Amino acid sequence: MSVKKSSHGPISKLVRKMRKHALLTQNELAELAGVGKTLVFDLENGHENIRFENLRKILQVLNIQISFSAPQIEDVKPAKVRK
Amino acid sequence: MSVKKSSHGPISKLVRKMRKHALLTQNELAELAGVGKTLVFDLENGHENIRFENLRKILQVLNIQISFSAPQIEDVKPAKVRK
DNA sequence: TCTATTTTACTGGAATAACGGTAAAATAGA
DNA sequence: TCTATTTTACCGTTATTCCAGTAAAATAGA
């Protein structure tokens, strides 16, 4: 799939930066992660609508940690979701 | 889709826990996040193969932060990916 | 410049996530 | 128990990710 967005999200830049530092080509990263090369290309170019599992595979190769943090339960209420 | 896995991942449990504390039903959470109810159900039941964008929408409603952290660039090298 | 590598880009088709609808369990409250 | 709510579950259809293949730019190195 071709990429429409011209503004690259934070993940895009992080992935590209880390891949460069790891001295990997897009194809190599794709192979190590077990995904298609198109996926790596799209991800680096702002196409963040990717399966979570595939994103995890790629980030794992690059030693990028994903963490989830929840606030204190007293504060929990539906957040304002911006359209 | 039906869920095969009986072992629920950490995200599953976190989502369910936070949803409960927010006093939301699965349907309400789905509506607030703008996704289908099946998606919330599947997520809470260990089906983590979900689109990253949809996961983000759900976590946003529950005030769960996603963060990415990269090690020092000197340490960056392809990680051992376990099959 | 010449050449090889890499990146960017597009395509068709296969795989599958996501959806609403429906309904049966499970749960909670009166 | 009775009732309403919620959760769990399955289904068919639709939408879209994902893939390999291909090729054209862009880049780097000799």
Side-chain angles (χ1 to χ4, degrees):
Chain A
M1 157 206 238
S2 63
V3 178
K4 267 78 178 185
K5 292 176 62 177
S6 59
S7 64
H8 298 184
I11 306 175
S12 314
K13 293 180 177 175
L14 181 59
V15 167
R16 170 157 296 184
K17 178 175 154 192
M18 295 299 284
R19 177 178 62 80
K20 295 281 192 185
H21 283 297
L23 299 177
L24 293 174
T25 68
Q26 290 182 344
N27 286 340
E28 288 170 341
L29 174 54
E31 275 193 25
L32 284 170
V35 300
K37 62 185 175 9
T38 311
L39 197 55
V40 174
F41 165 72
D42 285 347
L43 178 60
E44 289 191 1
N45 284 85
H47 181 71
E48 296 182 357
N49 201 3
I50 180 182
R51 275 185 226 164
F52 179 60
E53 182 176 320
N54 284 334
L55 175 61
R56 230 177 20 191
K57 287 183 191 170
I58 293 173
L59 298 188
Q60 187 176 16
V61 173
L62 297 176
N63 281 314
I64 300 175
Q65 293 281 334
I66 311 178
S67 58
F68 303 92
S69 59
Q72 302 305 317
I73 56 180
E74 286 83 18
D75 302 337
V76 177
K77 54 180 179 288
K80 280 267 174 290
V81 180
R82 98 195 105 133
K83 247 286 293 306
Chain B
M1 155 203 238
S2 62
V3 177
K4 267 78 176 184
K5 293 176 62 177
S6 59
S7 63
H8 298 184
I11 307 174
S12 314
K13 292 181 178 174
L14 181 59
V15 167
R16 170 158 296 183
K17 178 176 154 191
M18 294 300 284
R19 177 178 63 79
K20 294 282 192 185
H21 282 297
L23 298 178
L24 293 173
T25 68
Q26 290 183 343
N27 287 339
E28 288 170 341
L29 173 55
E31 274 194 25
L32 285 169
V35 300
K37 62 184 175 14
T38 311
L39 198 55
V40 174
F41 165 71
D42 284 347
L43 179 60
E44 290 191 0
N45 284 86
H47 181 70
E48 295 181 359
N49 201 4
I50 181 183
R51 276 186 225 162
F52 179 60
E53 182 177 320
N54 285 334
L55 175 61
R56 228 174 23 189
K57 286 183 192 170
I58 293 173
L59 297 189
Q60 188 175 16
V61 173
L62 297 176
N63 281 314
I64 299 176
Q65 294 281 335
I66 310 179
S67 58
F68 303 91
S69 59
Q72 302 304 317
I73 55 179
E74 287 83 17
D75 302 337
V76 177
K77 54 180 178 289
K80 281 266 174 292
V81 180
R82 99 196 104 131
K83 248 284 292 307

